[in-house]
Amino acid sequence: MRWWALGAVTLGTFMTYLDNNVGNVALPTIQRELGLTISGLEWIVSSYILVFAGLMLVGGRLADVFGTRRVFLAGLTVFTVSSLAAGLATSGAVLIAARAVQGVGAALLTPTALTLIRQLFPDPGERGRAIGVWSMAGALSMALGPFAGGFISQNLHWGWIYLINVPLGLVTFGIAFRVVRPAFTRVRHSLDLPGLATSALALFALTYALIEGEAAGWTSPEILAALGVFAAAAAAFVLVETRAAEPMIVMSLFGSRMFSGGLVTAGIWSFGVFGIYFFSALWLQNVLGFSPTEAGAAFVPMALLMGVVAVLSQRISAMLGIGRTVALGMALMGTAIYLISGIGADGGYADVAPWFLLYGLGGGLLVPLTAATVGGMPAERAGVASGVLNVSREVFGLLGITVLGAILSAGRRGADGPPLAAFLDAYQFTLVIAAAVVLAAIPVALYTLRSPRTAAPQATASAAAGGSSSESGMSSGPASVGSSN
């Protein structure tokens, strides 16, 4: 029965990952049929990130107080119902609202997945195998998501990219309700309402400012007010947490070189990759002339290679060390992004495929990053550490969408010539910037994630106990715009 329970938890995670990856290829179709601007497209992605990032710490705390099973089932219900609403949406406003509610569901699902696995598989050996099965959900979603999104947008109504979550959600709920029954252990005894309110307000205000800053103007009263709310709420959060009997975040976490370095490394990766991935579907279809199905299929070999390398990454990190493994992954990914920038308007799949595969090879090597970040934490802090890591990754990913998107938009406005040529020139320049950002993570990883070679398996076991989503994909988490919206 435990392996059936693992199947339910993996399916729940797969739903959120698939939802991110299936949507990106369909964005051009959604834009045409709903008459949306680029800003409207960004809100389809960003509304999800805004709510997901703002409530992830809340979801983790609710699981600590009310139990992981209850919160998992609640998140699954919310995500499934909101997927139905998104699939039936007839306007951009309704779709954006439904995506925001999906963010609520994902914020409840995400903090509970690996915690449930830890509870269901107390034996370290079995737990390791279970984590391996679970981790394949991200790679599988990257292989199936873009292709399914392209096929649906080309041959069916685009709404099916969200409606496919409904039967998946119903099946997952039925299995989970019957077989996911871990012993209920109350990790926390209070909700810490001041901490919940101030953390959510701070994250909402920050993500809103990042989403709207370029359009409204960074010095506009609206954005300055949002940044002011963020600063005040963040300061209030630190103050209330230092006085709370059961704080949400123990500030001493940030004194760990491994933890802080992992946050910075994951943040740099998110910044450099998430923003570019948002525009990849537009580039493949509008510039290179791929059909939606062809654009989706272009990602499949990359994702499959990423999944294979992810399985082997722990052995590699045991030989090289986690810092060197992550640095190598960043080097391969940054190089791939840079080489993609050299593909012209006459490029085809043969030109794109080698660098997509190189990216997948590097992405698969990033799986040990989560282990390095949370693995050194005491068991009672591992869940909090993984929550902070996920929040930081979402916020930095949104920052990447905002900043790199602003660079792309400025380049298009300042370029002469036809619109597609202007988009390509701006896109290529933005890729170079993103590659430089990703490569900047190499020295950070080498310095902060250095550890004895024998520490990798131990760190992995500790991370499995605490849990966090894999770093392997462009959208490894629900925020992924590629991986994570």
Side-chain angles (χ1 to χ4, degrees), residues 417-477:
L420 286 182
F423 176 88
L424 177 60
D425 289 341
Y427 179 75
Q428 289 175 325
F429 177 72
T430 308
L431 281 174
V432 174
I433 300 296
V437 171
V438 172
L439 292 173
I442 294 174
V444 177
L446 289 174
Y447 174 73
T448 62
L449 304 180
R450 66 185 190 276
S451 60
R453 294 186 181 183
T454 56
Q458 184 177 3
T460 304
S462 298
S468 178
S469 60
S470 168
E471 301 290 335
S472 62
M474 285 185 181
S475 67
S476 62

Short mmCIF file of all heavy atoms in Angstrom, two decimals, residues 417-477:
data_model
loop_
_atom_site.label_atom_id
_atom_site.label_comp_id
_atom_site.label_asym_id
_atom_site.label_seq_id
_atom_site.Cartn_x
_atom_site.Cartn_y
_atom_site.Cartn_z
N GLY A 417 14.03 47.76 -38.35
CA GLY A 417 13.73 46.62 -39.20
C GLY A 417 12.42 45.96 -38.83
O GLY A 417 11.66 46.43 -37.97
N PRO A 418 12.12 44.82 -39.48
CA PRO A 418 10.86 44.10 -39.25
C PRO A 418 10.73 43.64 -37.81
O PRO A 418 11.74 43.40 -37.12
CB PRO A 418 10.96 42.90 -40.21
CG PRO A 418 11.98 43.29 -41.22
CD PRO A 418 12.94 44.18 -40.52
N PRO A 419 9.48 43.47 -37.31
CA PRO A 419 9.28 43.08 -35.90
C PRO A 419 9.96 41.76 -35.54
O PRO A 419 10.54 41.65 -34.45
CB PRO A 419 7.75 42.97 -35.80
CG PRO A 419 7.23 43.86 -36.87
CD PRO A 419 8.22 43.77 -37.98
N LEU A 420 9.89 40.75 -36.42
CA LEU A 420 10.49 39.46 -36.07
C LEU A 420 12.01 39.56 -35.98
O LEU A 420 12.64 38.95 -35.11
CB LEU A 420 10.10 38.40 -37.09
CG LEU A 420 8.66 37.88 -37.01
CD1 LEU A 420 8.43 36.78 -38.05
CD2 LEU A 420 8.34 37.36 -35.61
N ALA A 421 12.61 40.34 -36.88
CA ALA A 421 14.06 40.53 -36.81
C ALA A 421 14.45 41.28 -35.54
O ALA A 421 15.46 40.96 -34.90
CB ALA A 421 14.54 41.30 -38.05
N ALA A 422 13.63 42.26 -35.16
CA ALA A 422 13.90 42.99 -33.92
C ALA A 422 13.77 42.08 -32.71
O ALA A 422 14.58 42.16 -31.77
CB ALA A 422 12.93 44.18 -33.81
N PHE A 423 12.76 41.22 -32.73
CA PHE A 423 12.60 40.27 -31.62
C PHE A 423 13.79 39.33 -31.53
O PHE A 423 14.31 39.07 -30.44
CB PHE A 423 11.31 39.46 -31.80
CG PHE A 423 11.10 38.39 -30.76
CD1 PHE A 423 10.45 38.68 -29.57
CD2 PHE A 423 11.57 37.10 -30.96
CE1 PHE A 423 10.28 37.71 -28.59
CE2 PHE A 423 11.40 36.11 -30.00
CZ PHE A 423 10.74 36.42 -28.81
N LEU A 424 14.27 38.82 -32.68
CA LEU A 424 15.40 37.89 -32.66
C LEU A 424 16.65 38.56 -32.13
O LEU A 424 17.38 37.99 -31.30
CB LEU A 424 15.64 37.35 -34.07
CG LEU A 424 16.84 36.41 -34.22
CD1 LEU A 424 16.68 35.18 -33.34
CD2 LEU A 424 17.02 36.00 -35.68
N ASP A 425 16.93 39.78 -32.59
CA ASP A 425 18.12 40.49 -32.10
C ASP A 425 18.06 40.70 -30.59
O ASP A 425 19.04 40.47 -29.88
CB ASP A 425 18.25 41.84 -32.81
CG ASP A 425 18.65 41.70 -34.27
OD1 ASP A 425 19.15 40.62 -34.64
OD2 ASP A 425 18.43 42.66 -35.04
N ALA A 426 16.89 41.12 -30.12
CA ALA A 426 16.74 41.36 -28.69
C ALA A 426 16.81 40.06 -27.90
O ALA A 426 17.40 40.00 -26.81
CB ALA A 426 15.41 42.08 -28.41
N TYR A 427 16.22 39.00 -28.45
CA TYR A 427 16.23 37.69 -27.78
C TYR A 427 17.65 37.16 -27.68
O TYR A 427 18.06 36.62 -26.64
CB TYR A 427 15.35 36.72 -28.58
CG TYR A 427 15.28 35.32 -28.02
CD1 TYR A 427 14.53 35.04 -26.89
CD2 TYR A 427 15.98 34.28 -28.63
CE1 TYR A 427 14.46 33.76 -26.38
CE2 TYR A 427 15.90 32.99 -28.14
CZ TYR A 427 15.15 32.73 -27.01
OH TYR A 427 15.09 31.46 -26.50
N GLN A 428 18.45 37.29 -28.74
CA GLN A 428 19.82 36.80 -28.72
C GLN A 428 20.65 37.56 -27.69
O GLN A 428 21.45 36.96 -26.97
CB GLN A 428 20.43 36.94 -30.12
CG GLN A 428 19.85 35.96 -31.13
CD GLN A 428 20.38 36.18 -32.53
OE1 GLN A 428 20.62 37.32 -32.94
NE2 GLN A 428 20.55 35.12 -33.30
N PHE A 429 20.47 38.87 -27.62
CA PHE A 429 21.21 39.65 -26.62
C PHE A 429 20.81 39.25 -25.21
O PHE A 429 21.66 39.11 -24.31
CB PHE A 429 20.94 41.14 -26.84
CG PHE A 429 21.61 42.03 -25.81
CD1 PHE A 429 22.98 42.21 -25.82
CD2 PHE A 429 20.85 42.66 -24.84
CE1 PHE A 429 23.60 43.01 -24.87
CE2 PHE A 429 21.45 43.47 -23.88
CZ PHE A 429 22.83 43.65 -23.90
N THR A 430 19.51 39.01 -25.00
CA THR A 430 19.03 38.62 -23.68
C THR A 430 19.57 37.25 -23.30
O THR A 430 19.88 36.99 -22.13
CB THR A 430 17.49 38.61 -23.66
OG1 THR A 430 17.00 39.85 -24.15
CG2 THR A 430 16.98 38.41 -22.24
N LEU A 431 19.71 36.34 -24.26
CA LEU A 431 20.31 35.04 -24.00
C LEU A 431 21.75 35.18 -23.51
O LEU A 431 22.18 34.45 -22.59
CB LEU A 431 20.28 34.17 -25.25
CG LEU A 431 18.96 33.48 -25.62
CD1 LEU A 431 19.10 32.80 -26.97
CD2 LEU A 431 18.56 32.48 -24.57
N VAL A 432 22.49 36.08 -24.10
CA VAL A 432 23.87 36.30 -23.66
C VAL A 432 23.91 36.77 -22.21
O VAL A 432 24.73 36.31 -21.41
CB VAL A 432 24.58 37.30 -24.60
CG1 VAL A 432 25.97 37.65 -24.06
CG2 VAL A 432 24.68 36.75 -26.01
N ILE A 433 23.02 37.69 -21.86
CA ILE A 433 22.94 38.16 -20.47
C ILE A 433 22.59 37.00 -19.54
O ILE A 433 23.20 36.83 -18.47
CB ILE A 433 21.89 39.28 -20.34
CG1 ILE A 433 22.25 40.47 -21.23
CG2 ILE A 433 21.74 39.71 -18.89
CD1 ILE A 433 23.54 41.15 -20.86
N ALA A 434 21.61 36.20 -19.94
CA ALA A 434 21.20 35.06 -19.10
C ALA A 434 22.34 34.07 -18.93
O ALA A 434 22.55 33.52 -17.84
CB ALA A 434 19.98 34.38 -19.71
N ALA A 435 23.09 33.81 -20.01
CA ALA A 435 24.22 32.89 -19.92
C ALA A 435 25.26 33.40 -18.93
O ALA A 435 25.81 32.64 -18.13
CB ALA A 435 24.85 32.70 -21.31
N ALA A 436 25.54 34.70 -18.97
CA ALA A 436 26.51 35.28 -18.04
C ALA A 436 26.04 35.14 -16.59
O ALA A 436 26.84 34.86 -15.69
CB ALA A 436 26.74 36.76 -18.39
N VAL A 437 24.75 35.32 -16.38
CA VAL A 437 24.20 35.18 -15.02
C VAL A 437 24.37 33.75 -14.52
O VAL A 437 24.79 33.51 -13.39
CB VAL A 437 22.72 35.61 -14.99
CG1 VAL A 437 22.09 35.27 -13.66
CG2 VAL A 437 22.60 37.11 -15.26
N VAL A 438 24.02 32.77 -15.36
CA VAL A 438 24.14 31.36 -14.96
C VAL A 438 25.60 31.00 -14.68
O VAL A 438 25.91 30.33 -13.69
CB VAL A 438 23.53 30.45 -16.05
CG1 VAL A 438 23.82 28.98 -15.74
CG2 VAL A 438 22.03 30.67 -16.15
N LEU A 439 26.51 31.46 -15.53
CA LEU A 439 27.92 31.15 -15.33
C LEU A 439 28.47 31.79 -14.06
O LEU A 439 29.43 31.29 -13.47
CB LEU A 439 28.73 31.62 -16.54
CG LEU A 439 28.47 30.85 -17.85
CD1 LEU A 439 29.20 31.51 -19.01
CD2 LEU A 439 28.88 29.39 -17.72
N ALA A 440 27.85 32.89 -13.62
CA ALA A 440 28.29 33.54 -12.38
C ALA A 440 28.06 32.66 -11.16
O ALA A 440 28.66 32.89 -10.10
CB ALA A 440 27.56 34.88 -12.21
N ALA A 441 27.21 31.64 -11.29
CA ALA A 441 26.95 30.74 -10.16
C ALA A 441 28.09 29.76 -9.95
O ALA A 441 28.16 29.11 -8.88
CB ALA A 441 25.66 29.97 -10.39
N ILE A 442 29.00 29.62 -10.90
CA ILE A 442 30.06 28.62 -10.79
C ILE A 442 30.96 28.89 -9.58
O ILE A 442 31.15 28.00 -8.74
CB ILE A 442 30.88 28.55 -12.09
CG1 ILE A 442 30.00 28.02 -13.23
CG2 ILE A 442 32.11 27.65 -11.91
CD1 ILE A 442 30.69 28.04 -14.58
N PRO A 443 31.55 30.10 -9.44
CA PRO A 443 32.39 30.32 -8.25
C PRO A 443 31.62 30.26 -6.95
O PRO A 443 32.16 29.83 -5.92
CB PRO A 443 32.98 31.72 -8.49
CG PRO A 443 32.07 32.37 -9.48
CD PRO A 443 31.56 31.26 -10.34
N VAL A 444 30.35 30.67 -6.98
CA VAL A 444 29.53 30.59 -5.77
C VAL A 444 29.38 29.14 -5.33
O VAL A 444 29.55 28.80 -4.15
CB VAL A 444 28.15 31.24 -5.99
CG1 VAL A 444 27.28 31.09 -4.75
CG2 VAL A 444 28.29 32.70 -6.37
N ALA A 445 29.07 28.25 -6.28
CA ALA A 445 28.90 26.83 -5.96
C ALA A 445 30.20 26.21 -5.48
O ALA A 445 30.22 25.45 -4.51
CB ALA A 445 28.36 26.08 -7.18
N LEU A 446 31.30 26.53 -6.15
CA LEU A 446 32.58 25.94 -5.78
C LEU A 446 32.99 26.34 -4.37
O LEU A 446 33.57 25.55 -3.62
CB LEU A 446 33.66 26.36 -6.78
CG LEU A 446 33.56 25.74 -8.18
CD1 LEU A 446 34.59 26.36 -9.10
CD2 LEU A 446 33.74 24.22 -8.11
N TYR A 447 32.68 27.59 -3.98
CA TYR A 447 33.09 28.06 -2.65
C TYR A 447 32.14 27.60 -1.55
O TYR A 447 32.58 27.08 -0.52
CB TYR A 447 33.18 29.58 -2.64
CG TYR A 447 33.46 30.15 -1.27
CD1 TYR A 447 34.72 30.01 -0.69
CD2 TYR A 447 32.46 30.80 -0.55
CE1 TYR A 447 34.97 30.51 0.58
CE2 TYR A 447 32.70 31.30 0.72
CZ TYR A 447 33.95 31.15 1.28
OH TYR A 447 34.18 31.64 2.54
N THR A 448 30.85 27.78 -1.78
CA THR A 448 29.91 27.55 -0.68
C THR A 448 29.46 26.10 -0.54
O THR A 448 29.08 25.68 0.55
CB THR A 448 28.65 28.43 -0.87
OG1 THR A 448 28.00 28.06 -2.10
CG2 THR A 448 29.02 29.90 -0.89
N LEU A 449 29.49 25.34 -1.64
CA LEU A 449 28.99 23.97 -1.59
C LEU A 449 30.11 22.94 -1.48
O LEU A 449 29.86 21.75 -1.62
CB LEU A 449 28.15 23.67 -2.84
CG LEU A 449 26.97 24.61 -3.11
CD1 LEU A 449 26.25 24.20 -4.38
CD2 LEU A 449 26.02 24.64 -1.93
N ARG A 450 31.32 23.40 -1.23
CA ARG A 450 32.42 22.45 -1.10
C ARG A 450 32.21 21.60 0.14
O ARG A 450 31.78 22.08 1.19
CB ARG A 450 33.77 23.17 -1.02
CG ARG A 450 33.98 24.03 0.22
CD ARG A 450 35.30 24.80 0.12
NE ARG A 450 35.65 25.44 1.37
CZ ARG A 450 35.19 26.62 1.76
NH1 ARG A 450 34.34 27.28 0.98
NH2 ARG A 450 35.54 27.13 2.93
N SER A 451 32.49 20.33 0.02
CA SER A 451 32.30 19.39 1.11
C SER A 451 33.13 18.16 0.83
O SER A 451 33.52 17.92 -0.32
CB SER A 451 30.82 19.00 1.27
OG SER A 451 30.35 18.40 0.09
N PRO A 452 33.39 17.33 1.83
CA PRO A 452 34.10 16.08 1.56
C PRO A 452 33.34 15.23 0.58
O PRO A 452 32.11 15.21 0.56
CB PRO A 452 34.18 15.41 2.95
CG PRO A 452 34.02 16.53 3.91
CD PRO A 452 33.12 17.52 3.25
N ARG A 453 34.05 14.49 -0.27
CA ARG A 453 33.40 13.69 -1.31
C ARG A 453 32.45 12.67 -0.73
O ARG A 453 31.46 12.30 -1.33
CB ARG A 453 34.46 12.99 -2.16
CG ARG A 453 35.30 13.95 -2.96
CD ARG A 453 36.24 13.20 -3.88
NE ARG A 453 37.06 14.13 -4.63
CZ ARG A 453 37.93 13.76 -5.55
NH1 ARG A 453 38.09 12.46 -5.82
NH2 ARG A 453 38.64 14.64 -6.21
N THR A 454 32.73 12.20 0.44
CA THR A 454 31.87 11.18 1.04
C THR A 454 30.60 11.76 1.62
O THR A 454 29.74 11.05 2.07
CB THR A 454 32.63 10.45 2.16
OG1 THR A 454 33.09 11.42 3.12
CG2 THR A 454 33.81 9.69 1.60
N ALA A 455 30.47 13.09 1.59
CA ALA A 455 29.30 13.71 2.22
C ALA A 455 28.08 13.67 1.35
O ALA A 455 26.97 13.86 1.81
CB ALA A 455 29.62 15.16 2.58
N ALA A 456 28.27 13.42 0.04
CA ALA A 456 27.12 13.54 -0.87
C ALA A 456 26.00 12.58 -0.56
O ALA A 456 24.85 12.98 -0.44
CB ALA A 456 27.59 13.35 -2.32
N PRO A 457 26.27 11.25 -0.39
CA PRO A 457 25.15 10.36 -0.10
C PRO A 457 24.48 10.70 1.22
O PRO A 457 23.28 10.61 1.36
CB PRO A 457 25.82 8.97 -0.08
CG PRO A 457 27.07 9.13 -0.88
CD PRO A 457 27.53 10.52 -0.59
N GLN A 458 25.28 11.09 2.20
CA GLN A 458 24.70 11.42 3.49
C GLN A 458 23.80 12.64 3.38
O GLN A 458 22.73 12.71 3.94
CB GLN A 458 25.82 11.68 4.50
CG GLN A 458 25.29 11.94 5.92
CD GLN A 458 26.45 12.13 6.91
OE1 GLN A 458 27.61 12.12 6.54
NE2 GLN A 458 26.10 12.30 8.15
N ALA A 459 24.28 13.62 2.61
CA ALA A 459 23.47 14.82 2.41
C ALA A 459 22.17 14.49 1.70
O ALA A 459 21.13 15.04 2.02
CB ALA A 459 24.27 15.85 1.60
N THR A 460 22.27 13.59 0.75
CA THR A 460 21.06 13.20 0.02
C THR A 460 20.05 12.55 0.94
O THR A 460 18.85 12.82 0.87
CB THR A 460 21.44 12.22 -1.11
OG1 THR A 460 22.43 12.84 -1.93
CG2 THR A 460 20.24 11.87 -1.93
N ALA A 461 20.51 11.70 1.82
CA ALA A 461 19.59 11.05 2.75
C ALA A 461 18.94 12.07 3.66
O ALA A 461 17.74 12.01 3.95
CB ALA A 461 20.34 10.01 3.58
N SER A 462 19.74 13.04 4.10
CA SER A 462 19.16 14.07 4.96
C SER A 462 18.14 14.90 4.21
O SER A 462 17.10 15.26 4.73
CB SER A 462 20.29 14.98 5.50
OG SER A 462 21.19 14.23 6.25
N ALA A 463 18.47 15.22 2.95
CA ALA A 463 17.53 16.00 2.15
C ALA A 463 16.24 15.25 1.93
O ALA A 463 15.17 15.82 1.91
CB ALA A 463 18.17 16.36 0.80
N ALA A 464 16.36 13.94 1.74
CA ALA A 464 15.15 13.15 1.54
C ALA A 464 14.26 13.22 2.76
O ALA A 464 13.04 13.23 2.67
CB ALA A 464 15.53 11.69 1.24
N ALA A 465 14.89 13.29 3.92
CA ALA A 465 14.09 13.38 5.14
C ALA A 465 13.37 14.71 5.23
O ALA A 465 12.25 14.81 5.69
CB ALA A 465 15.00 13.20 6.36
N GLY A 466 14.04 15.78 4.75
CA GLY A 466 13.42 17.09 4.84
C GLY A 466 12.56 17.39 3.65
O GLY A 466 11.42 17.78 3.77
N GLY A 467 13.15 17.20 2.48
CA GLY A 467 12.38 17.32 1.26
C GLY A 467 12.39 18.67 0.62
O GLY A 467 12.34 19.68 1.25
N SER A 468 12.46 18.64 -0.69
CA SER A 468 12.28 19.79 -1.55
C SER A 468 12.20 19.28 -2.96
O SER A 468 12.60 18.17 -3.25
CB SER A 468 13.45 20.77 -1.40
OG SER A 468 13.29 21.86 -2.26
N SER A 469 11.71 20.10 -3.86
CA SER A 469 11.60 19.65 -5.23
C SER A 469 12.93 19.71 -5.92
O SER A 469 13.81 20.45 -5.56
CB SER A 469 10.58 20.53 -5.97
OG SER A 469 10.98 21.86 -5.96
N SER A 470 13.05 18.91 -6.99
CA SER A 470 14.32 18.80 -7.71
C SER A 470 14.66 20.07 -8.44
O SER A 470 13.80 20.82 -8.86
CB SER A 470 14.23 17.65 -8.72
OG SER A 470 15.30 17.68 -9.62
N GLU A 471 15.96 20.30 -8.58
CA GLU A 471 16.43 21.45 -9.34
C GLU A 471 16.66 21.09 -10.80
O GLU A 471 17.21 21.87 -11.55
CB GLU A 471 17.78 21.92 -8.76
CG GLU A 471 17.71 22.32 -7.31
CD GLU A 471 16.94 23.59 -7.08
OE1 GLU A 471 16.84 24.41 -7.98
OE2 GLU A 471 16.43 23.76 -5.99
N SER A 472 16.28 19.90 -11.21
CA SER A 472 16.79 19.41 -12.48
C SER A 472 16.17 20.10 -13.68
O SER A 472 16.79 20.18 -14.72
CB SER A 472 16.55 17.91 -12.60
OG SER A 472 15.19 17.61 -12.57
N GLY A 473 14.93 20.57 -13.62
CA GLY A 473 14.29 21.05 -14.82
C GLY A 473 14.20 22.54 -14.90
O GLY A 473 14.38 23.26 -13.94
N MET A 474 13.89 23.09 -16.08
CA MET A 474 13.69 24.51 -16.22
C MET A 474 12.49 24.94 -15.40
O MET A 474 12.34 26.11 -15.07
CB MET A 474 13.44 24.86 -17.69
CG MET A 474 14.69 24.82 -18.55
SD MET A 474 14.30 25.40 -20.20
CE MET A 474 15.87 25.23 -20.99
N SER A 475 11.59 24.07 -15.16
CA SER A 475 10.44 24.38 -14.35
C SER A 475 10.24 23.31 -13.33
O SER A 475 9.22 22.67 -13.26
CB SER A 475 9.23 24.53 -15.20
OG SER A 475 8.90 23.32 -15.75
N SER A 476 11.18 23.10 -12.55
CA SER A 476 11.09 22.02 -11.62
C SER A 476 10.10 22.27 -10.55
O SER A 476 9.67 21.33 -9.89
CB SER A 476 12.44 21.74 -11.00
OG SER A 476 12.85 22.89 -10.29
N GLY A 477 9.77 23.41 -10.40
CA GLY A 477 8.73 23.66 -9.48
C GLY A 477 7.59 24.31 -10.15
O GLY A 477 7.64 24.63 -11.30
#
